């Protein structure tokens, strides 16, 4: 499974599609991705508190193309970016070079971090360890390499969210089951107008076999049918799961954020829903 995870992210570095039409690796390319990220997901800045880590040692696990890591570096932190993929690290390095920032990078596995114990003031990880086969090993490594009194800020998908419960469980899973029952040969009729994402998930479940795990994983990234083109693994966690997973830390708080939809609602109501049923579960744990 680890190899399938690595292969998938090697050929799908996160958010690269948001720079489509721009020269990959150019300043404009990285700026477009950055603009989109902090407009669509403002909770990242709120949670990461980039300026707070000035002159501190920060490790980002699963840095991908390095968008958040650049913010830590710009704000004066001494940063290390780690990713399972050669391509993620190559692009993160490129982004740092383009903006004249300094940082160290390593291709490695979150489940076996190549650092001595008590090495970092902050371990940051956004949307990563829910894709690794052994999340318990990853959390135990995070606990080992963060300093005593240091912090970890880890975002994983939220199980009790509108996305997991309504979009995936209530709509997508039964919908795909019905499509496979109506059209068991893996071909949808042309007259059936469905969003491309749903057509892709139908094809993926046709190829891999129907399972809730396959549908959930494919729905959490831009998966397309064909060899190695669909996200092989995603998990989601509740706040209680998070408290259990991070119980070795001295203290642990969790925060729920991120609603991509419901923009028409009054802000107060939208905030209320976001803080209970948002898609991102941030865990802030102190060792
Ligand atoms: C959804 S992307 C998020 C990337 C980045 N954190 C961001 O916010 O753009 C998931 C990343 O996790 C990395 N990843 C998955 N499993 C990993 C592991 N076991 N160790 C290190 N990185 C891993 C992937 O290579 C990929 O870059």
């Amino acid at each position: 499974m680890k190899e399938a995870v690595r292969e998938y992210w090697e050929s799908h570095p996160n958010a690269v599609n948001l720079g489509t039409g721009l020269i990959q690796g150019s300043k404009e390319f990285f700026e477009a991705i950055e603009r989109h990220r902090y407009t669509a997901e403002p909770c990242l800045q709120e949670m990461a508190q980039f300026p707070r880590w000035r002159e501190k040692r920060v490790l980002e696990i699963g840095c991908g193309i390095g968008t958040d890591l650049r913010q830590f570096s710009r704000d004066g932190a001494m940063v290390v970016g780690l990713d399972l993929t050669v391509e993620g690290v190559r692009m993160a390095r490129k982004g740092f070079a383009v903006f004249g920032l300094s940082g160290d990078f390593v291709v490695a596995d979150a489940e076996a971090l190549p650092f001595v114990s008590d090495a970092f003031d902050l371990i940051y990880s956004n949307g990563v360890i829910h894709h690794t086969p052994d999340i318990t090993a990853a959390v135990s490594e995070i606990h080992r390499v963060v300093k005593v009194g240091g912090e970890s800020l880890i975002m994983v998908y939220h199980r009790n969210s509108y996305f997991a419960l309504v979009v995936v469980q209530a709509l997508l899973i039964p919908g795909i089951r019905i499509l496979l029952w109506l059209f068991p040969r893996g071909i949808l009729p042309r007259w059936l107008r469905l969003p491309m994402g749903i057509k892709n998930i139908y094809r993926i479940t046709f190829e891999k076999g129907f399972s809730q795990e396959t549908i959930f994983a494919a729905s959490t990234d831009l998966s397309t049918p064909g060899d190695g083109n669909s996200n092989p693994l995603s998990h989601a966690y509740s706040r209680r799961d998070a408290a259990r997973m991070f119980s070795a830390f001295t203290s642990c708080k969790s925060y729920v954020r991120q609603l991509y939809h419901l923009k028409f609602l009054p802000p107060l109501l939208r905030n209320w829903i976001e803080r209970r049923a948002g898609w991102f579960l941030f865990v802030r744990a102190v060792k």
Side-chain angles (χ1 to χ4, degrees):
M1 180 49 89
K2 182 69 66 60
E3 193 45 29
V5 169
R6 195 191 59 72
E7 262 178 38
Y8 176 74
W9 293 108
E10 204 65 87
S11 51
H12 299 81
N14 193 40
V16 161
N17 58 307
L18 300 171
T20 305
L22 298 166
I23 298 169
Q24 214 183 83
S26 65
K27 200 170 180 190
E28 296 69 31
F29 168 83
F30 287 113
E31 281 172 346
I33 294 173
E34 204 167 303
R35 247 192 330 273
H36 181 276
R37 160 163 303 212
Y38 301 120
T39 309
E41 297 168 350
C43 59
L44 292 180
Q45 285 167 313
E46 177 203 343
M47 288 290 140
Q49 305 171 340
F50 298 115
R52 212 184 121 202
W53 300 99
R54 186 180 174 76
E55 292 178 10
K56 301 286 185 199
R57 284 181 57 79
V58 173
L59 167 67
E60 179 170 2
I61 295 179
C63 63
I65 68 169
T67 310
D68 291 340
L69 197 65
R70 286 200 305 275
Q71 317 312 314
F72 285 111
S73 176
R74 266 186 200 134
D75 281 329
M78 294 165 279
V79 304
V80 179
L82 174 147
D83 201 274
L84 193 58
T85 64
V86 173
E87 184 57 11
V89 164
R90 187 189 69 78
M91 290 194 67
R93 274 207 177 100
K94 174 86 184 155
F96 269 62
V98 162
F99 293 98
L101 297 169
S102 67
D104 293 318
F105 294 91
V106 57
V107 177
D109 183 354
E111 296 176 26
L113 295 174
F115 305 108
V116 294
S117 303
D118 303 303
F120 296 95
D121 297 292
L122 172 70
I123 313 277
Y124 175 82
S125 185
N126 175 46
V128 174
I129 63 171
H130 49 218
H131 296 303
T132 203
D134 188 352
I135 192 169
T136 310
V139 174
S140 150
E141 280 294 84
I142 290 169
H143 182 262
R144 183 181 67 76
V145 303
V146 73
K147 288 179 185 171
V148 175
E151 256 182 57
S152 305
L153 180 68
I154 311 295
M155 187 282 272
V156 290
Y157 294 142
H158 182 210
R159 183 142 58 90
N160 298 320
S161 58
Y162 79 99
F163 185 77
L165 295 180
V166 180
V167 178
V168 181
Q169 285 289 339
L171 300 174
L172 210 46
I173 290 175
I176 297 290
R177 199 189 273 281
I178 292 169
L179 284 177
L180 285 168
W181 178 71
L182 289 174
F183 310 107
R185 291 164 188 262
I187 300 163
L188 292 172
R190 284 190 183 187
W191 52 262
L192 193 58
R193 289 178 187 273
L194 289 171
M196 188 48 86
I198 294 181
K199 290 184 180 174
N200 285 343
I201 294 174
Y202 161 79
R203 271 302 295 185
I204 290 162
T205 42
F206 173 76
E207 286 168 10
K208 289 188 165 181
F210 178 90
S211 85
Q212 300 203 3
E213 290 76 19
T214 299
I215 295 176
F216 181 70
S219 69
T220 60
D221 205 63
L222 290 174
S223 293
T224 51
D227 238 9
N229 271 327
S230 67
N231 177 14
L233 184 71
S234 288
H235 287 295
Y237 301 90
S238 66
R239 297 179 80 160
R240 192 175 293 181
D241 296 332
R244 210 185 41 246
M245 285 194 299
F246 287 79
S247 59
F249 288 76
T250 307
S251 75
C252 167
K253 281 189 183 161
S254 56
Y255 307 82
V256 171
R257 296 284 188 281
Q258 198 52 34
L259 269 188
Y260 291 107
H261 305 104
L262 307 178
K263 298 231 161 73
F264 56 87
L265 288 178
L268 271 181
L269 178 58
R270 205 167 173 272
N271 271 356
W272 189 87
I273 297 174
E274 178 181 8
R275 279 162 168 68
R276 282 153 189 83
W279 176 222
F280 292 176
L281 174 62
F282 291 90
V283 184
R284 196 187 294 286
V286 176
K287 179 169 164 185

